[in-house]
Amino acid sequence: MAGANQTCIFCQIVHDPNSTTRLLHTDEKVVAFQDIKPSAQRHYLVIPKEHVPTVRDLRRRDEDYSLVSHMLSVGQELLLKDAPQTIHRFGFHQPPFNSVDHLHLHCFALPFMPRWKVVKYMSLGPFGGFIEAQKLLEKIRPLSSKV
């Protein structure tokens, strides 16, 4: 499994041909699937095929910015198709609040279910918590980028 972590459950989903996870999207960079413990009407995860542990491993580089942008566009496309009449939200957990050490974009068609789940997806400012996808893109936008 090149570019994979043998013990990572998400790497296993990406690289194991016997995985039972139903993929909603797959391309050369990412795969998407339903969260096993959904927190909203629709709750999808978009993950890179290459193992990237967390948002803290992303830098102001074209390749990181391009990857997160692509993850977001895949998530938006899926929710526009599956839940067009709802409010959508996209973001990442930041350490130490991430449950799996493999970068994954949460894609929600709201409302949260049950409603208290909103707490799990709140920003905690300097302490981490949840970061909206657009805010992460602002943080990692290459300084010389024209994107």
Side-chain angles (χ1 to χ4, degrees):
M1 290 195 312
N5 177 327
Q6 300 286 341
T7 61
C8 172
I9 186 68
F10 287 171
C11 285
Q12 291 169 17
I13 289 170
V14 170
H15 299 285
D16 182 354
N18 299 318
S19 172
T20 57
T21 302
R22 187 175 148 261
L23 300 181
L24 304 171
H25 174 92
T26 185
D27 63 35
E28 67 285 345
K29 289 184 176 183
V30 302
V31 299
F33 50 91
Q34 197 164 333
D35 192 296
I36 60 168
K37 293 181 183 170
S39 296
Q41 176 186 342
R42 295 275 191 287
H43 185 174
Y44 302 147
L45 300 177
V46 180
I47 66 170
K49 287 184 172 182
E50 184 91 15
H51 185 81
V52 177
T54 73
V55 294
R56 290 206 179 130
D57 296 283
L58 300 171
R59 300 288 173 257
R60 286 186 176 272
R61 298 185 298 214
D62 289 335
E63 56 268 27
D64 289 351
Y65 187 85
S66 174
L67 173 64
V68 174
S69 294
H70 181 64
M71 292 170 73
L72 179 58
S73 72
V74 167
Q76 289 170 329
E77 186 179 304
L78 286 170
L79 288 182
L80 280 173
K81 183 179 71 171
D82 295 345
Q85 303 301 319
T86 61
I87 296 170
H88 301 156
R89 188 162 172 226
F90 305 91
F92 301 84
H93 279 112
Q94 301 175 90
F97 300 98
N98 51 312
S99 56
V100 177
D101 278 338
H102 186 122
L103 186 68
H104 54 285
L105 173 66
H106 289 270
C107 307
F108 301 106
L110 299 178
F112 286 109
M113 296 180 346
R115 290 209 183 278
W116 63 264
K117 288 275 188 166
V118 69
V119 173
K120 189 175 175 187
Y121 302 97
M122 292 175 67
S123 171
L124 299 176
F127 304 107
F130 194 75
I131 184 170
E132 298 289 334
Q134 282 302 138
K135 190 173 271 302
L136 178 61
L137 283 169
E138 290 167 19
K139 279 178 75 169
I140 65 170
R141 179 187 304 268
L143 296 173
S144 61
S145 177
K146 294 173 181 67
V147 182

